[in-house]
Each structure stands twice: as C-alpha cells, then as structure tokens.
Amino acid sequence: MAKRIPLVAGNWKMYKTPAEAGNFTRKLLEKFPENSSVEVIVCPPFPAIPAVALKLAESRIGWGAQNMHWEAEGAYTGEVSPPMLQALGCRYVILGHSERRIHFNETDEQIRKKMKAALSYGLRPIFCVGEDLATRDAGDAEFFCRHQLDAALMDLPWSNPEALVIAYEPIWAIGTGRTAEPADAVAMISQLRDRISSWHGAEFADRVRILYGGSVKPDSIASFMEEEQVDGVLVGGASLNLDSFIDLVQITAKIKATA
Ligand code: PGA
C-alpha cells in the first residue's frame, strides 16, 4: 500500500488582512516543529497571499488560494486567474468548497472547468465534496458526493495521483462545532477512492490523498488521523489560531508517524 504524506491545510476563508497574515506566518515559522513528516499549507485570502509567500518562501510550509477562475485572463471583473496564482508561488488551490457552491452559486460545470485549468497549470486542486444534512438523513450522502466527484473529475486528463487532493467536508459539519463520525468519514473516503480506482486502477487510487474537513479541532483531530484512510485535514476555524494550528500539525505528525 502506498504511503501517503499526511496534509494539514488551513483555509483562512475571509479572515486576516495582509498585516495580520504576515504576523501570523512569522510566529508560525518560529513555532513550527522541525523535521515534521506532515505537509502543511495555508490558504489565505487573495490580498494576503504575497505577505504569506514572502515569509514562507524558504520554509517547508506551502501556500495556496481559496478559489480561481478557469481562464488565463480576460474581462472577468473581480476574478483571479491560474497564472496569477502561479506567479504568487501558490502550490494549491481550494476548488468546489461548499461556501462557494452555496453563496456564489458555483456549479459542477464551473468547478470542472476550474479543475481542468488547475491541472493544466500545475496547481494542485484541493477539491471539496460534501452533502447537506437533509441528504445525509435521507441516506443519500455517498451517492451525492460520488456525483460531485464524477461531475468534476470523470474523464478529465489526470495522470498523476499526487496532482490533486480531495477533501470530504460534510456541509453540516463546517463551522458548526459538529464533526462527522470518523467511521462515516472513512466510509465516504473509501467509496471515493473506489470510484477513482474504477477509472485509474487501484494503484493510482491508493496514492491519492483524501482529507476530512468540518469543525476539526485539536481535541477531535486524533480520531480522524488514527484512520488509515484519512490522509489529513482541511481546517477553517482552528487554523486561524496559532496554537491550535500548531497542535493540529503536531498531533497529526505523532499519529501518522507511528501508523
Ligand atoms: P471549519 O471549516 O474547520 O471552520 O469547520 C472547514 C472548511 O470550511 O474548510
């Protein structure tokens, strides 16, 4: 079985000015554990990316964006393109987050175009899937998330399993303080991996990292990280606080190192 590198990704959403982000990043570097076996990235809002990039340039911590347009340039007021993110050194870009689907009406079709663009520019998407509570209660969660995966990725040119990351983020767990049961996350992640395996083979699927996200905190992360199928976390609220973010990284490193 492939050894997947655990990933702790901070999604800062619409928090932190450039000055606040720069400050946070400086302190993060001071406290960051040496030789951690965990990959760590932060995804600041667009205006804060340069300040973060400047601080993290010589470090092992990466950075990414929270969204992008699929075109390289054009008359798209308010949008940011893949080459612009590349120029800021972004390694990752979060795509298909439920807040974008819900508040900005992003469609599966648009997300698919963004996925395609990210892959072609060598930006690694952190592609989010997740159901709402009504869908889960109706017993349709796995069907729903598989559909989101299919809509974004089926038949897309995707030749390197490490070129993208998937995050299972149940909508009812985001920012609510309520996490999914680790067993539910594992069931979901396994079926997403099976789906990828049906397209690209088991060896390929075994190398794709799939994260959990939704109210992950230092006191809840261990139960997810102890699951072999869960390759890391996408964290909103708890990534904004320095101590809790460091705790998340340290707990992940400890558990995955002995796994
Ligand atoms: P949360 O956000 O950790 O605050 O629930 C997760 C996310 O939206 O990625």
Side-chain angles (χ1 to χ4, degrees), residues 105-125:
N105 300 318
E106 266 189 27
T107 63
D108 283 338
E109 199 193 334
Q110 290 169 333
I111 294 163
R112 183 180 175 84
K113 285 189 199 163
K114 293 180 182 198
M115 293 290 288
K116 202 170 168 187
L119 289 173
S120 75
Y121 280 97
L123 288 159
R124 290 186 192 173

Side-chain angles (χ1 to χ4, degrees), residues 15 19 29 64 110 120 131 135 145 158 164 189 227 229 235 249 259:
Y15 294 98
L29 283 173
Q110 290 169 333
S120 75
E131 80 288 354
T135 306
C145 293
W158 173 23
L164 67 83
I189 288 172
E227 299 291 348
Q229 281 289 327
V235 190
V249 175

Side-chain angles (χ1 to χ4, degrees), residues 163-185:
L164 67 83
V165 174
I166 295 166
Y168 169 52
E169 295 209 311
I171 294 170
W172 46 271
I174 296 177
T176 58
R178 182 176 162 191
T179 56
E181 291 298 324
D184 291 336

Side-chain angles (χ1 to χ4, degrees), residues 129-179:
V129 300
E131 80 288 354
D132 63 15
L133 198 52
T135 306
R136 169 146 298 264
D137 288 345
D140 293 335
E142 296 195 3
F143 173 82
F144 183 87
C145 293
R146 189 164 62 244
H147 173 80
Q148 286 185 325
L149 186 81
D150 287 0
L153 271 173
M154 197 157 55
D155 300 330
L156 220 59
W158 173 23
S159 53
N160 171 8
E162 275 98 29
L164 67 83
V165 174
I166 295 166
Y168 169 52
E169 295 209 311
I171 294 170
W172 46 271
I174 296 177
T176 58
R178 182 176 162 191
T179 56

Side-chain angles (χ1 to χ4, degrees), residues 27 69 151:
K27 291 189 204 141
H69 196 274

Side-chain angles (χ1 to χ4, degrees), residues 224-238:
F224 291 98
M225 290 300 93
E226 275 156 6
E227 299 291 348
E228 192 269 334
Q229 281 289 327
V230 184
D231 300 316
V233 282
L234 179 58
V235 190

